[in-house]
Amino acid sequence: QKKAIEEEELAHIQDFTRNTGMSPRACWYIVLVCFVLRTIGWTWITMVMLEYTRFYVINDLNVLSTIETVTGSPQSLLKAFFFPFWGILSDRASRKKVLAVGSVAQSISAWLLVLWPSVPILVLTRCLSIVGDLRGTIQNAMLRDLFTPAQWERQGAGITGIKSRLAVIWALTSAGSIAFGMGALKFGDMGWTGLPNEFSAADQCPEQRYCDQEEGWHIHGALRLLMLMGAIALTVEALVMIFIFPETLRPEFRTEKSILSCFRQRFCEILKPWNNLRVFATTQLRELLQIRFIHYVIGSGGNAIFMSWYRRNQLDTFEMVGMGVCGGTTGFLVTCLVVKIVDRFGDLRGVWVPSNVLAVLYGLSTALTPSSLPYLAFLFFPMFGGPSTALAGFTPDLLAKLMPPDVQGTFQTSKDFVYNLQKAVLVWPWLGLYVKSESLPEPFDALAIWVAMALGVFALWLTLRQLPKDP
């Protein structure tokens, strides 16, 4: 068996090198470079996005939540219809071109927010994410091209092990980026750099819907500096994807000459995105998808869940990043153990069940933490939130192991179809929970978190029923 695996790996290396002009290892290194650049860019952007938006766009949490919902619902609906077709394109025409389109869209979105922050631009960037968000989805399909069946399904925990190594790199890169960002924010507030946190320097713009700003574009403070640096990192990643990254889709799978010809011949399939669900061809795959669907429902309320916590505690960027570092540390330790966990217990027992249990415990601790003790989050997030988030990131990999290589793009986008379709509808009830619970006493002002916990318990019950059939 070992000899057969070695022969399979050698044949794969030869075929891949002949088709792409580089070895799978060299391509993997390019993937890592792009991954690191994208991680750096999005870490700097996301760590300041909330306060950047409140200072440069509008200082009203209810308006921001409404914008997120009003744009997110049609955005999710469009994704539900277009993503499956993009998955077919990546399986039949080109992986590289679809990835490049997503990278360019993300870069453009970042630059728009940096140069012209406003409510219309915020809405426009939400629209661009219809294309930009393809990047992460198709990347998972592209990874399948780099590995043999044995490496993808079994060796070193298969794709779960591969994703765990990426997660370790992500954690280390994020930690370095966060450390730099926190230093820029803190040193700026201390007056060492001359670039303070604009939002904090304005005393969080009390009782103002729009914060006072100087006329003309320039780097007012650390928030804009980090947004600018994030946009530069994403641009470099897009250039690497366009000019250096090879086409990884095997020639025998390229049944379409180009993306445009595929569009012309298969355009009617855009109106039938549910056809992609045929890749869930077995009873077990469908049952696992049902469990994932419940988590998708919880995910569609992510903004309402986070804003419920933020509304109660009102921690600033530095404090939230510090809390994230604490949780990220424990999450990183768990991530380093994922390969051993999956090798010993399998995906269901080692990843699905523990992540669900820890997530429910984290939700319970968060919902019961009073506003007078916000810093308990520095205890509960490392204890429950970090590990549960780390493990939850590997739950989709079990389904990927059960899918053949020629439908990986179709499979990845069919998951997105399910997620985005339910999000387009259910994001509104989540927004209603967030808005209506504002006047309720603690702990019911976090009603969205309580609902998410109830759904999590139901998903846990369904997962436990799958244990006798653990693949």
Side-chain angles (χ1 to χ4, degrees):
Q1 185 179 8
K2 182 178 179 181
K3 184 178 179 180
I5 292 175
E6 290 175 350
E7 292 176 350
E8 179 186 67
E9 184 174 350
L10 179 60
H12 171 71
I13 292 173
Q14 293 174 342
D15 288 343
F16 190 92
T17 304
R18 182 171 58 253
N19 296 332
T20 65
M22 66 174 64
S23 67
R25 182 180 295 273
C27 189
W28 171 249
Y29 289 147
I30 296 176
V31 170
L32 294 182
V33 169
C34 292
F35 184 72
V36 168
L37 287 170
R38 194 167 62 258
T39 300
I40 292 172
W42 281 118
T43 299
W44 284 335
I45 289 173
T46 54
M47 72 182 290
V48 301
M49 177 59 80
L50 181 58
E51 287 191 344
Y52 181 87
T53 305
R54 293 183 70 179
F55 183 80
Y56 286 101
V57 181
I58 187 168
N59 184 28
D60 190 318
L61 291 178
N62 285 334
V63 170
L64 289 176
S65 294
T66 302
I67 291 174
E68 176 74 19
T69 302
V70 170
T71 60
S73 183
Q75 174 198 49
S76 296
L77 191 61
L78 288 172
K79 284 182 180 179
F81 276 86
F82 281 101
F83 268 32
F85 188 71
W86 282 102
I88 295 174
L89 289 179
S90 72
D91 282 339
R92 299 290 176 261
S94 172
R95 297 260 205 256
K96 173 180 177 173
K97 292 177 182 177
V98 176
L99 289 170
V101 168
S103 294
V104 170
Q106 290 181 343
S107 176
I108 292 173
S109 294
W111 280 109
L112 287 173
L113 279 175
V114 169
L115 298 176
W116 302 286
S118 63
V119 171
I121 290 297
L122 186 63
V123 174
L124 178 59
T125 58
R126 298 289 296 162
C127 295
L128 281 173
S129 69
I130 295 173
V131 178
D133 290 351
L134 275 169
R135 180 69 179 80
T137 299
I138 303 303
Q139 175 181 276
N140 293 327
M142 176 271 296
L143 288 175
R144 179 63 184 87
D145 302 333
L146 273 61
F147 299 96
T148 66
Q151 292 170 333
W152 183 260
E153 298 169 9
R154 300 183 300 278
Q155 288 182 333
I159 178 57
T160 307
I162 296 167
K163 297 288 283 291
S164 72
R165 291 193 287 275
L166 283 175
V168 169
I169 294 171
W170 173 85
L172 294 174
T173 305
S174 295
S177 303
I178 288 172
F180 180 91
M182 291 178 69
L185 291 168
K186 201 63 177 178
F187 292 153
D189 288 340
M190 295 169 65
W192 292 8
T193 63
L195 295 172
N197 181 330
E198 300 95 303
F199 191 63
S200 298
D203 294 325
Q204 299 186 7
C205 311
E207 307 301 325
Q208 295 183 41
R209 199 174 192 187
Y210 299 95
C211 297
D212 297 327
Q213 303 172 27
E214 300 177 25
E215 293 187 5
W217 191 97
H218 61 276
I219 301 177
H220 300 82
L223 296 179
R224 175 160 277 176
L225 173 65
L226 290 172
M227 286 288 292
L228 176 62
M229 294 172 61
I232 292 172
L234 292 178
T235 301
V236 175
E237 189 266 342
L239 292 175
V240 172
M241 182 59 59
I242 293 171
F243 295 108
I244 301 177
F245 193 78
E247 176 57 70
T248 62
L249 185 64
R250 292 164 60 177
E252 59 266 32
F253 294 161
R254 298 180 210 164
T255 57
E256 303 293 342
K257 294 181 179 179
S258 67
I259 287 181
L260 288 178
S261 65
C262 190
F263 260 117
R264 287 194 296 266
Q265 295 177 19
R266 297 175 177 264
F267 183 78
C268 292
E269 294 185 26
I270 293 178
L271 303 178
K272 301 176 182 179
W274 48 84
N275 286 345
N276 284 22
L277 294 176
R278 288 177 293 187
V279 296
F280 296 94
T282 67
T283 301
Q284 185 174 47
L285 280 172
R286 289 191 289 270
E287 290 176 347
L288 293 174
L289 180 63
Q290 289 172 5
I291 298 171
R292 293 296 301 152
F293 176 77
I294 298 173
H295 290 289
Y296 293 160
V297 172
I298 298 173
S300 68
N303 183 64
I305 293 169
F306 168 75
M307 294 302 290
S308 296
W309 171 84
Y310 179 76
R311 179 176 60 194
R312 182 191 291 182
N313 297 284
Q314 292 283 334
L315 300 181
D316 62 25
T317 294
F318 189 83
E319 292 168 330
M320 286 193 293
V321 170
M323 185 186 72
V325 169
C326 294
T329 301
T330 55
F332 174 75
L333 295 176
V334 171
T335 298
C336 292
L337 298 173
V338 162
V339 173
K340 293 185 180 297
I341 291 172
V342 174
D343 277 342
R344 176 66 180 84
F345 300 104
D347 286 87
L348 278 181
R349 288 180 172 84
V351 175
W352 287 51
V353 172
S355 67
N356 207 326
V357 171
L358 290 169
V360 171
L361 291 175
Y362 179 56
L364 182 63
S365 62
T366 301
L368 294 178
T369 299
S371 57
S372 58
L373 297 171
Y375 296 105
L376 283 178
F378 285 86
L379 171 64
F380 293 131
F381 190 48
M383 187 181 299
F384 303 123
S388 68
T389 302
L391 289 173
F394 301 105
T395 51
D397 299 335
L398 175 59
L399 288 88
K401 292 178 182 179
L402 302 175
M403 289 289 173
D406 59 330
V407 293
Q408 281 291 324
T410 304
F411 156 66
Q412 297 290 347
T413 52
S414 67
K415 291 190 308 172
D416 284 350
F417 166 72
V418 175
Y419 172 74
N420 287 305
L421 188 62
Q422 60 82 31
K423 184 179 179 181
V425 178
L426 297 182
V427 69
W428 294 100
W430 284 109
L431 175 64
L433 287 175
Y434 168 72
V435 174
K436 293 299 182 181
S437 62
E438 183 176 13
S439 59
L440 298 178
E442 296 181 10
F444 300 108
D445 61 330
L447 188 58
I449 299 177
W450 289 103
V451 173
M453 275 193 293
L455 291 171
V457 171
F458 180 53
L460 177 60
W461 174 70
L462 291 178
T463 304
L464 293 175
R465 292 183 61 189
Q466 288 294 314
L467 293 182
K469 299 181 289 184
D470 188 349

